[in-house]
Amino acid sequence: MARVVSLFLPTWPTDRVRRKAGDAAPPAEAPLVLIGRDKNRRVVLAADAAALAAGLRPGLPVTKAQVLVPGLSIQDADPQADAEGLERLAVWMLRFAPIVTPDPPDGIVIDTTGADHLHGGESAMLEGMVGRLAMSGIVARAAIADSCPTMAWRQSGMPIS
């Protein structure tokens, strides 16, 4: 039975922006939001951990976010760059297993069948994945489970041969 890791990157867009900015990035404790348009309104599209802790959430109007958190760091969202960065990160994750695919907008799926022993077992492999991402400034959560191809076909509505 196949074993599949699901990596969830809850703050991927803001992590990507901070990594790209390098030393010019706002400090980690400074709330950062990425904004965009929802019809004619400017809204928060992504928030980092500090912004979430301050009560800011995606969908919140930017003007309200600025009132709630004085000195808020605001940057324009770039969904295309987020998707491209997720693709590059998926390629980087090939160090853990040979089958990796991005799961936009904020995830990566890795088929680790038969690869866990190369990393000291499943627990050590998951800890290694999350730890290496953390050292790179990317917040991640990971889970591993069996995958049943028959169930995937059933859920997609495709006929099973």
Side-chain angles (χ1 to χ4, degrees), residues 43-110:
V43 296
V44 173
L45 295 181
D48 70 356
L52 292 170
L56 305 182
R57 299 282 181 268
L60 187 71
V62 174
T63 53
K64 188 170 185 178
Q66 289 173 306
V67 168
L68 291 172
V69 181
L72 177 66
S73 292
I74 298 173
Q75 294 189 24
D76 289 327
D78 188 348
Q80 181 66 30
D82 293 341
E84 291 168 0
L86 195 61
E87 288 275 347
R88 285 190 303 277
L89 185 58
V91 170
W92 183 82
M93 296 301 292
L94 285 168
R95 68 189 67 241
F96 291 100
I99 302 173
V100 179
T101 187
D103 186 18
D106 54 13
I108 295 176
V109 178
I110 308 166

Side-chain angles (χ1 to χ4, degrees), residues 12 17-18 28 49 54-55 57 62 84 139:
W12 169 243
V17 166
R18 284 186 188 279
R57 299 282 181 268
V62 174
E84 291 168 0
V139 176

